[in-house]
Amino acid sequence: MSTDRMGQDGASVPGAAGNTGAGTPVESPGAGAGLVQLITPSGERVSHPEFDPWLQDIADEQLCALFEDMTVIRRIDVEATALQRQGELALWPPLLGQEAAQIGSGRALRQDDFVFSSYRENGVAYCRGVDLTDIVRVWRGNASSGWDPYSINMATPQIIIGAQTLHATGYAMGIQNDGADSVAVTYFGDGATSEGDVNEAMVFAASFQVPVVFFCTNNHWAISEPVRLQSHIQLADRAAGFGIPSLRVDGNDVLAVMAATRVALDRARRGGGPTFIEAVSYRMGPHTTADDPTRYRDANELEDWAAKDPISRMEALLDRKGLLTAELQQQVRDRADAVAREMRTGCTTMPDPQPLDVFKHVYSTPNTWLDRQQDHYARYLASFGDPAEAVSEEGAR
């Protein structure tokens, strides 16, 4: 297997996925050999001459911080799932099992990089510094978007599968025109690679060699369809058809993900164009809380992947290094509980939106067409005998 995949500019990406052979099917393109792995499931640190230099700043303190990050976002996920089951949220898309992919990549980003995500990257949002209440605002039905994108340099989650890749590529074209060295990073799942938007985005990204990283979390299931049905080759190999170099990493290995993301970011900053990263992980829970994965997924498969759990392997690594002390474990638990409390309180005390709030933030400047609609709706509301809201809005205008 080749260890380098060449881009259009002739630059190679270390550890890039090798070609399995055109049209040659493999039993499971989501598993198998060829993964860059720096931490084994048993917690052993594996040396890699090409990727180790990208982790020279990751000392014991940083390892403990990454362990805390992954534990915290799992706690966020568990708490949000509980909130949905208790009727406080309408829906929730769990990220259980994908913590390493999100934290490893999220912590590799610079503040001026811009993220375009799907609906599942709440761990990346946490890395960007999102207000915890904003994570659940949309899922509670209190707002049409979760946060101000420019406050954390992360667009609000995209529900339309794969559409965010087009947004990221367009943004990256703007970065290129501005002559900046920031990078656009877009996250999507294995199912999105079958969407036209993703393929069109990759065509433009390759054609103009823009600074964008396509981060595909291959969690093996596009709702109820397995990845092996969508692709008879590894997903990373698809990028070669667009002239985009690719990296295929163990998505449950936070260090491998971080190193691969840093490689791709560095390449983009130096004018080397786009990179496609396939982070091979597993969706341990349902697609959303409206899904029942037991109807289509083998319990044995879930058990096999549970043995590769990203947090458990990080715990094992810290234990091998003598860092997994009782004090650290208590510190991490306390932080996770505090974050969960903050999010739950913000969710349950969130004020209900007022009827006329639907007109807010539609346009950035006053618009007579929208004002006319708002006036008509205010009069309609007043016809029910409670004109207070309409009067206050008209007075403000």
Side-chain angles (χ1 to χ4, degrees), residues 119-382:
Y119 42 79
R120 205 181 301 278
E121 278 74 38
N122 294 297
V124 179
Y126 174 77
C127 292
R128 303 303 281 172
V130 69
D131 184 280
L132 295 170
T133 303
D134 287 343
I135 290 181
V136 295
R137 195 175 298 280
V138 168
W139 305 110
R140 189 170 172 83
N142 280 48
S144 57
S145 61
W147 53 76
D148 173 8
Y150 295 103
S151 65
I152 60 173
N153 279 359
M154 180 174 180
T156 50
Q158 180 58 254
I159 300 297
I160 301 172
I161 304 299
Q164 68 274 15
T165 59
L166 291 170
H167 307 157
T169 298
Y171 191 92
M173 293 173 73
I175 292 173
Q176 188 179 63
N177 289 335
D178 289 342
D181 71 340
S182 54
V183 180
V185 182
T186 179
Y187 290 84
F188 51 96
D190 48 284
T193 62
S194 297
E195 294 285 345
D197 284 359
V198 175
N199 292 272
E200 291 157 12
M202 292 174 71
V203 167
F204 269 81
S207 295
F208 294 97
Q209 288 292 284
V210 295
V212 60
V213 176
F214 295 95
F215 193 100
C216 174
T217 303
N218 177 1
N219 67 18
H220 283 73
W221 289 96
I223 307 184
S224 59
E225 298 293 356
V227 67
R228 63 180 176 272
L229 181 63
Q230 301 179 68
S231 179
H232 287 257
I233 62 171
Q234 295 170 355
L235 297 181
D237 287 336
R238 286 182 165 185
F242 299 93
I244 296 178
S246 63
L247 291 159
R248 190 166 188 266
V249 302
D250 184 341
N252 285 7
D253 176 351
V254 68
L255 293 186
V257 172
M258 176 175 283
T261 306
R262 285 178 167 181
V263 168
L265 291 170
D266 179 70
R267 182 174 188 273
R269 297 193 205 286
R270 290 186 293 105
T275 301
F276 184 100
I277 297 174
E278 179 190 357
V280 181
S281 184
Y282 193 77
R283 194 192 77 209
M284 300 291 288
H287 176 71
T288 69
T289 47
D291 174 39
D292 179 9
T294 63
R295 299 180 63 183
Y296 55 81
R297 192 167 66 185
D298 189 341
N300 292 326
E301 181 179 289
L302 182 63
E303 183 179 352
D304 290 342
W305 278 94
K308 305 172 185 177
D309 182 87
I311 297 180
S312 294
R313 77 169 66 184
M314 196 61 176
E315 284 182 323
L317 174 65
L318 295 178
D319 191 40
R320 283 172 178 266
K321 296 174 69 67
L323 301 173
L324 193 66
T325 63
E327 291 77 14
L328 174 64
Q329 291 174 300
Q330 188 61 52
Q331 171 190 316
V332 170
R333 280 195 298 268
D334 290 346
R335 171 63 180 162
D337 288 345
V339 166
R341 279 195 302 272
E342 181 180 344
M343 187 180 71
R344 173 174 282 274
T345 300
C347 175
T348 57
T349 61
M350 195 182 301
D352 292 335
Q354 296 302 308
L356 289 175
D357 285 351
V358 70
F359 294 96
K360 293 181 178 179
H361 312 300
V362 177
Y363 291 96
S364 59
T365 56
N367 183 290
T368 56
W369 175 75
L370 188 69
D371 286 345
R372 186 167 60 254
Q373 290 189 58
Q374 182 170 341
D375 178 66
H376 290 173
Y377 190 48
R379 293 174 184 275
Y380 170 73
L381 293 175

